Amino acid sequence: MPPKLCTNLVLILLAASVAAARRHPSPANSTASGKPVYLWPLPKKFTSGSRTLLVDPDLALHPNGPGGRAAAVAEAFERYRSLIFSSWAHAARNASGGYDIAELTVVVASADEKMELGVDESYTIYVAAAGGVNSIVGGATIEANTIYGAIRGLETFSQLCVFNYDTKNVEVLHAPWYIQDEPRFAFRGLLLDTSRHFLPVDVIKQVIDSMSYSKLNVLHWHIIDEQSFPLEVPSYPNLWKGSYSKWERYTVEDAHDIVSYARKRGVHVMAEIDVPGHAESWGNGYPKLWPSPKCREPLDVSSNYTFEVISGILSDMRKIFPFGLFHLGGDEVYTGCWNVTPHVRQWLDEHNMTTKDAYKYFVLKAQEIAIKLNWIPVNWEETFNSFKENLNPLTVVHNWLGPGVCPKVVEKGFRCIMSNQGVWYLDHLDVPWEDFYTSEPLAGINNTAQQKLVLGGEVCMWGETADTSDVQQTIWPRAAAAAERMWSQLEAISAQDLETTILARLHYFRCLLNHRGIAAAPVTNAYGRRPPTGPGSCFIQ
């Protein structure tokens, strides 16, 4: 079918569904029959019906539109078809041979595969049976402006598909479905720390997979810290002598692979090198970066060599990480080391600087290097708290110390990312899912123009007590609670009851993650990542 004709047909179908919905409206958290909507995160708008449709195990892709035939769409379809038909159990062929959904039409308006912050992730879905009320043709259709919107639509479609153990068929309940969806925030992140404990590439890929299931779209890769420097840097090959061992390293090829893998799932990778603090590991390969052998961080602010190395690292990383934002850290800089190192003290005196001045000088110089490489610098909030008047106007300020930061940031015209440690730090095991869910990035910001300066938020998986053995169950399902806050419309999620409707859907999503091989912990743990305390169903733990 020609793209325009297909699109027009979809619009006719959607109009019919909307008309039906106006006659039989359903609550924002339930189907037309009053059943909970087991979709996570909750779509922006949807209507449903009362029919059950069978999905063909040989479900075929019908690509359409300029971007429908993109390799990324075909690959995503194959991934989701595999999840639909093998996550819960293996479907058998219907004895009658008749299926309501034998084909999934994916219409993508643009063939442009460029992925940058704010890329259009909107999509619409229509699912109906031929001959039914308000339907013209049977099957399912996803329509999106970009391939990344189509990927988000495929995730939602996969969640509509449920295995029936009695009939051994995959079904779509409560059809016909009309879903119109788009994210509330452009930046929906998860920080992953691979310095405190090394995480193998395959584990990072599993995290990326699970991010795509909840529609998180930025992996903040905290690669390096004072404990280890695991990344290969061709310009300065001895830097990864700061790794824990030669078997706990990432090659340039590994990093490229992770970025490519993430892009195919609609996930950006924002890398971080934290300067000038949190950098002791750098000196294992290049001791000149330390102020002295006894005083190893912050990095030596008085040496041009320090900034030559930073420039080399960023130049090499720019070839790997295409995302427009780069994180330069800037937190927890304890400058006493500079005061007690004779040559640094002399440099400070010659330049008439205090250590606070030197901290500002270092951050701004690192920003300048990043901006020349066409990156937007992201810095932790201490930089804003210490010298907001001097920060480059491009700076994105990353909150972490506590609440009330983003209102101050956007009032000064800077952009902000919210990660309040009291509610969105995953390594804080005593923070329950409810706190993750109810934390609002726009709290305290009433001005519409200032609200637009909040890019979104990020949950942080710091790795001091997390490695391959427990990282997934520490992330999930609490990260999913924040993911819905960042994706779904505030009015819709605020209208739901936290302990009944939302909790039931989160239980279901946690079980879905488990069936997809993600080690998500029970939802209602007193402490994150604890295993179950006794026998029971996945759906009530």
Side-chain angles (χ1 to χ4, degrees), residues 372-443:
K372 284 182 179 178
L373 291 167
N374 200 30
W375 260 323
I376 295 170
V378 184
N379 284 100
W380 294 109
E381 69 175 81
E382 286 96 324
T383 59
F384 175 82
N385 297 336
S386 299
F387 45 88
K388 61 178 73 70
E389 305 84 4
N390 305 105
L391 285 174
N392 189 290
L394 291 174
T395 305
V396 176
V397 178
H398 194 166
N399 151 249
W400 75 275
L401 284 169
V405 175
C406 282
K408 297 175 183 176
V409 169
V410 299
E411 187 178 14
K412 293 296 183 182
F414 292 101
R415 289 173 290 180
C416 191
I417 297 168
M418 194 277 272
S419 289
N420 177 2
Q421 64 172 334
V423 289
W424 275 10
Y425 266 33
L426 294 157
D427 57 310
H428 291 197
L429 302 180
D430 59 341
V431 179
W433 75 269
E434 295 95 332
D435 287 0
F436 277 84
Y437 193 89
T438 56
S439 297
E440 172 53 45
L442 296 184

Side-chain angles (χ1 to χ4, degrees), residues 327-394:
H327 210 300
L328 292 167
D331 63 315
E332 298 181 322
V333 180
Y334 306 115
T335 56
C337 177
W338 289 340
N339 257 333
V340 299
T341 305
H343 76 273
V344 179
R345 180 69 260 174
Q346 180 181 350
W347 182 88
L348 291 171
D349 292 340
E350 290 173 354
H351 289 79
N352 195 28
M353 285 188 187
T354 65
T355 53
K356 183 178 180 180
D357 293 332
Y359 167 43
K360 176 178 68 175
Y361 167 81
F362 200 119
V363 168
L364 297 182
K365 198 168 179 67
Q367 284 195 339
E368 182 182 326
I369 294 169
I371 290 168
K372 284 182 179 178
L373 291 167
N374 200 30
W375 260 323
I376 295 170
V378 184
N379 284 100
W380 294 109
E381 69 175 81
E382 286 96 324
T383 59
F384 175 82
N385 297 336
S386 299
F387 45 88
K388 61 178 73 70
E389 305 84 4
N390 305 105
L391 285 174
N392 189 290
L394 291 174

Side-chain angles (χ1 to χ4, degrees), residues 439-458:
S439 297
E440 172 53 45
L442 296 184
I445 306 172
N446 299 317
N447 181 286
T448 303
Q450 292 179 2
Q451 287 179 347
K452 293 178 181 178
L453 294 176
V454 179
L455 298 182
E458 176 181 290

